[in-house]
Amino acid sequence: MRILLAEDDEFLASGIVLALTDSGYAVDKVATGADAYSALSNISYDLAILDLGLPVLDGLEVLRRGRAEGLTLPILILTVRNDVRERVNGLDAGANDYLTKPFHLEELEARIRSLLRKDRFENKVVVTFGDLKYDTLNRTAFYRDKTLDLSVRELAILEILIQRAGHTVVKERIKNHLSTLEVEVTFNAIEITIHRLRKKISEAGVSIRTLRGLGYLLETTK
Amino acid sequence: MKQQNNRSIKADLLVWLLPPLLSMCLASSVVAYYLASYFANDSYDRNLINTAGSVAARVRIGTNSVADLDLPPAALAILQHTYPNDKFYYQVLNSDFTRLAGDALPSVRLDSSIPYLSYVKFNGETLRVAQIRMPIHDYPDKIIFVQAAETLNSRLDLTNHILFSILVPQILLLLFVIFAVSFGVKKGLKSLADLRNALSDRSRSDLKPLNESIAPLESQSLVSAINELLGRLKADLDAQQRFVANAAHQLQTPLAGIQTYVEIVERQSTDNSRNLLRQINKGIDRMSHLIKQLLVLAKSEPQNNLSFEEVDLNTIASEVGSELVDIALKKNIEVVFDEPTKPVIVYGDVVSLKELITNLLDNAILYTDYNGTVSVKISSDNVGVQLTVEDNGPGIPEEEREKVFERFYRILGTQVEGSGLGLAIVKEIAAAHHAEVLLTTPSTGKGTVVIVKFPAKKPK
């Protein structure tokens, strides 16, 4: 999943990027409202974390413009503005969640999971495909009661594929959701990860078919 | 207002007005007295000279060409009883000042052709003496001096009369002036009293300039000085509040950063260092709470625009109560909510009232020992609405009760990690609602009772 983080405090932003990358998200970091707006317009993100006190263009304005232009991704406001009125303003401008600084990383990640669960998995706690189950609460994949030991990158790809299980996912989409502005993931690297993932999920009777030149497809082998 | 030893305008005016008035009265009295006694003396002196003339008319030259006085006792009695209080003396002297007849008066022996007046001592009394020089009929070369003398009682009486009749009206006038000045000053200062009332009737939050049109011309400059001061005060308060709010804001982002890094390290750490990291996290939580409290405090300062409306204190209190039940349960503290049956309406700002009750309950729970009790009671009568939060914790010593409302004031020896801002916030919010905060001890003698009294009527 690819997340946009718009935060002008470099110290805090780096910390969040570090933590989220560690959890398997691809995170783009921008420091101004204008950059946030142009990133949102050009790249398809799964979620955006928006500070309100951004230079150049205020976070609230980025939010309003984005929503006015039809952006539907979940947006979480992360700000020091703690007033009830400001919270209401933020949510009414189109945000899906509001978290104030300082915050616990745990809570930020839980809110991200919650937002993505709603947006991508229709609030399903467990997504089942064949005998493979994906737990959206803990972001783990398991088969029967056994948790599959997946790397964050493998998990990230599985998350993309299982959202559209039984349908083709074009490889550009995968690439887009794994890359960041700084690190571009190559098709080759994706292919290698998918190769490993394929092995790990095969015992659950699920395989990943490669549609050459096109993309990938999650299907049951039975 | 405290009565201090300040100068009073009334006293000042009297001090400045009375001495000149008094000395003017005194001076005019003295002048009048001297003039009066001069004229009085003058007429008495003329009479005395006339009397001397009358005595002289009785002088006859006898055969041995020695002057002889033909003054029968009846005539003398008439002369002597001109003034009933005075004694009369006379003396006839020869040209060589040897006594021819009359009393043995000591006298200035001066050969003066015009009547000569003087004072002499005689028999222990001061006498006024008039001396005239007379040539004797038929003996043009023969000259005698006749002296008439009288004691001064009548003159003094007259002078005293004059003095009295001048002084009494003067004193009456003076008393009247004192009264008039006092009264006038009081009347004149009424506009200052009005001004004072206009200031003291204001709510704490009201730093609007005074209406200059109600002030009299003389205090116009005072009013504009006060207005200027109010303006500066408001600007300073605003700036201070902005500073606190900004500082708190600015502190939060780096704190969030620190917290994030600590949590990242925590995830990667061993059990050993995790304990240390938990300590850091506790510190961050405390700091974060403190910053939030600072922001609340800055926002609840009365000059802020709170949105006042009619709210049910009951609802707010039970909401806050249910939010804090978790913390109370952790210490096994029982929270008793004594709920009245009907809504208790106060005129206030929901957000800050919530903050007020949160802080009171938070404090009660924080400072009460395990297994204690915290009770919340809301009651209303025609005087107003009363919110009471009672705990059976250690209580607040009498001498600390004023100070606990100060920012960052913490009672020495308390182990609890409070921010030191809770009661300061309560005080600010209460003030913004024209409410009064009282601290007492419960009837059991142990613990703290905080009572917040809201006025019954909608404040101005």
Side-chain angles (χ1 to χ4, degrees):
Chain A
M1 303 269 186
R2 190 165 179 179
I3 294 175
L4 175 72
L5 171 67
E7 164 65 59
D8 63 330
D9 188 79
E10 173 58 29
F11 175 65
L12 174 62
S14 303
I16 295 173
V17 169
L18 195 65
L20 294 183
T21 308
D22 220 35
S23 300
Y25 297 107
V27 188
D28 287 342
K29 181 178 73 178
V30 292
T32 70
D35 287 350
Y37 179 68
S38 83
L40 281 171
S41 316
N42 294 315
I43 299 166
S44 147
Y45 288 101
D46 295 289
L47 182 139
I49 301 170
L50 206 57
D51 182 14
L52 289 184
L54 288 174
V56 188
L57 195 62
D58 187 78
L60 219 51
E61 195 50 39
V62 174
L63 186 57
R64 279 202 195 96
R65 289 195 198 177
R67 289 298 190 219
E69 280 166 28
L71 285 176
T72 57
L73 81 168
I75 295 178
L76 183 151
I77 290 176
L78 183 64
T79 180
V80 290
R81 299 181 196 169
N82 194 17
D83 249 28
V84 174
R85 286 157 200 115
E86 286 163 328
R87 288 164 184 265
V88 169
N89 279 346
L91 293 171
D92 279 351
N96 300 85
D97 204 353
Y98 198 102
L99 185 62
T100 53
K101 298 173 193 170
F103 56 91
H104 285 278
L105 198 51
E106 273 181 304
E107 188 180 354
L108 175 68
E109 293 200 331
R111 283 172 191 265
I112 291 172
R113 284 196 299 273
S114 159
L115 288 170
L116 289 174
R117 181 159 59 244
K118 182 167 189 235
D119 194 54
R120 300 288 166 181
F121 303 107
E122 295 158 329
N123 274 339
K124 279 185 204 144
V125 174
V126 177
V127 183
T128 311
F129 188 70
D131 287 336
L132 180 69
K133 288 181 173 28
Y134 174 70
D135 177 352
T136 60
L137 299 181
N138 302 306
R139 296 182 72 219
T140 51
F142 57 97
Y143 162 61
R144 292 188 183 150
D145 285 330
K146 189 178 149 236
T147 307
L148 301 177
D149 181 23
L150 304 179
S151 74
V152 289
R153 175 64 60 79
E154 289 159 6
L155 188 76
I157 291 179
L158 180 63
E159 276 178 341
I160 300 166
L161 293 176
I162 207 165
Q163 280 175 45
R164 294 181 53 80
H167 301 277
T168 310
V169 178
V170 295
K171 57 183 183 182
E172 280 78 12
R173 181 177 162 86
I174 297 177
K175 185 183 171 191
N176 177 51
H177 282 259
L178 298 185
S179 300
T180 66
L181 294 171
E182 274 136 31
V183 184
E184 188 169 321
V185 178
T186 60
F187 290 124
N188 208 17
I190 291 170
E191 183 58 44
I192 294 167
T193 310
I194 283 190
H195 180 71
R196 282 203 298 262
L197 179 61
R198 193 179 277 138
K199 275 192 201 160
K200 287 180 181 176
I201 62 174
S202 62
E203 57 178 327
V206 177
S207 81
I208 302 168
R209 185 199 289 185
T210 305
L211 305 164
R212 210 152 283 287
L214 198 66
Y216 302 91
L217 172 72
L218 196 68
E219 58 178 13
T220 51
T221 48
K222 282 167 199 164
Chain B
M1 239 187 272
K2 260 186 217 167
Q3 280 295 324
Q4 291 174 339
N5 290 331
N6 282 348
R7 288 159 53 213
S8 110
I9 294 186
K10 203 197 281 184
D12 260 6
L13 273 177
L14 287 177
V15 162
W16 284 108
L17 286 175
L18 278 186
L21 273 173
L22 209 61
S23 31
M24 218 173 79
C25 282
L26 210 65
S28 73
S29 299
V30 168
V31 169
Y33 172 73
Y34 275 104
L35 282 173
S37 62
Y38 170 76
F39 287 120
N41 261 330
D42 195 47
S43 76
Y44 274 95
D45 286 346
R46 275 177 212 283
N47 275 342
L48 199 58
I49 292 167
N50 284 343
T51 308
S54 304
V55 173
R58 299 282 180 166
V59 174
R60 297 284 179 271
I61 296 298
T63 44
N64 50 358
S65 60
V66 168
D68 188 20
L69 191 60
D70 171 25
L71 196 62
L76 187 62
I78 290 172
L79 290 175
Q80 278 176 331
H81 287 93
T82 315
Y83 312 116
N85 295 329
D86 281 308
K87 287 177 194 152
F88 177 77
Y89 304 96
Y90 76 94
Q91 179 174 232
V92 180
L93 300 169
N94 219 336
S95 57
D96 58 357
F97 292 108
T98 52
R99 189 159 65 89
L100 292 174
D103 308 288
L105 292 172
S107 59
V108 184
R109 287 154 192 225
L110 186 81
D111 187 356
S112 164
S113 58
I114 52 162
Y116 173 70
L117 290 154
S118 67
Y119 291 101
V120 296
K121 284 270 181 194
F122 183 67
N123 287 345
E125 287 179 300
T126 306
L127 302 180
R128 183 67 163 167
V129 182
Q131 174 188 286
I132 52 172
R133 183 179 184 267
M134 287 265 299
I136 297 185
H137 196 63
D138 299 334
Y139 298 90
D141 55 330
K142 187 106 175 138
I143 284 172
I144 54 162
F145 296 101
V146 175
Q147 295 181 341
E150 60 190 11
T151 51
L152 303 176
N153 293 337
S154 292
R155 296 168 185 240
L156 284 175
D157 276 354
L158 180 63
T159 316
N160 284 341
H161 266 106
I162 294 170
L163 186 66
F164 186 74
S165 53
I166 292 170
L167 272 184
V168 168
Q170 295 272 29
I171 288 168
L172 286 177
L173 179 72
L174 211 62
L175 288 175
F176 177 74
V177 166
I178 293 173
F179 170 75
V181 167
S182 302
F183 184 76
V185 166
K186 196 174 156 197
K187 275 275 170 205
L189 291 184
K190 194 188 166 293
S191 52
L192 278 186
D194 288 348
L195 211 60
R196 185 208 49 213
N197 290 342
L199 275 173
S200 60
D201 283 353
R202 287 177 164 223
S203 69
R204 264 176 58 116
S205 52
D206 193 357
L207 291 179
K208 282 199 296 288
L210 287 166
N211 184 357
E212 293 196 18
S213 63
I214 64 158
L217 215 55
E218 286 84 352
S219 58
Q220 204 70 255
S221 57
L222 177 68
V223 172
S224 41
I226 289 175
N227 279 346
E228 205 196 330
L229 185 69
L230 283 173
R232 277 209 306 270
L233 190 64
K234 186 166 167 20
D236 281 359
L237 276 175
D238 286 351
Q240 190 201 9
Q241 193 192 330
R242 267 200 309 280
F243 169 75
V244 172
N246 286 339
H249 251 107
Q250 293 302 319
L251 284 170
Q252 274 172 324
T253 302
L255 194 65
I258 295 171
Q259 193 169 357
T260 304
Y261 287 105
V262 169
E263 283 183 50
I264 293 169
V265 177
E266 211 176 344
R267 284 175 184 182
Q268 303 167 346
S269 63
T270 59
D271 287 352
N272 216 355
S273 55
R274 204 163 272 181
N275 274 333
L276 297 176
L277 289 166
R278 205 164 295 139
Q279 289 297 98
I280 298 179
N281 255 331
K282 254 168 98 180
I284 293 169
D285 282 346
R286 268 182 63 193
M287 201 161 151
S288 139
H289 178 67
L290 179 61
I291 291 169
K292 279 189 184 135
Q293 293 277 68
L294 267 177
L295 267 173
V296 170
L297 190 62
K299 279 172 191 160
S300 53
E301 270 164 10
Q303 60 271 34
N304 259 302
N305 300 323
L306 302 175
S307 52
F308 282 86
E309 56 191 332
E310 288 191 344
V311 291
D312 181 10
L313 203 58
N314 231 350
T315 316
I316 300 176
S318 57
E319 250 175 63
V320 172
S322 59
E323 278 169 24
L324 293 176
V325 152
D326 282 355
I327 318 172
L329 285 179
K330 274 184 199 160
K331 289 176 78 177
N332 200 24
I333 289 171
E334 194 189 356
V335 180
V336 184
F337 188 37
D338 192 353
E339 194 177 4
T341 42
K342 56 178 195 304
V344 176
I345 302 299
V346 293
Y347 188 70
D349 174 68
V350 182
V351 178
S352 49
L353 284 177
K354 217 170 161 179
E355 204 64 56
L356 180 145
I357 301 175
T358 304
N359 276 290
L360 285 181
L361 270 182
D362 222 16
N363 263 359
I365 294 168
L366 202 62
Y367 290 97
T368 299
D369 300 325
Y370 280 80
N371 309 319
T373 310
V374 171
S375 69
V376 185
K377 195 178 145 193
I378 294 167
S379 59
S380 71
D381 52 29
N382 33 5
V383 182
V385 172
Q386 195 163 312
L387 166 76
T388 311
V389 176
E390 182 177 331
D391 65 55
N392 57 1
I396 301 170
E398 190 86 46
E399 63 274 14
E400 305 269 8
R401 285 185 186 160
E402 278 284 312
K403 294 180 200 154
V404 289
F405 289 105
E406 288 169 19
R407 294 164 187 200
F408 296 117
Y409 186 81
R410 306 205 32 185
I411 297 171
L412 276 177
T414 36
Q415 301 295 316
V416 180
E417 290 171 349
S419 68
L421 287 174
L423 283 176
I425 291 173
V426 168
K427 191 181 162 197
E428 286 294 343
I429 296 174
H433 287 79
H434 302 267
E436 199 186 342
V437 187
L438 302 172
L439 280 179
T440 59
T441 310
S443 48
T444 57
K446 184 179 180 287
T448 310
V449 183
V450 189
I451 301 168
V452 186
K453 286 181 174 171
F454 294 90
K457 277 183 191 146
K458 193 168 154 173
K460 276 176 264 176

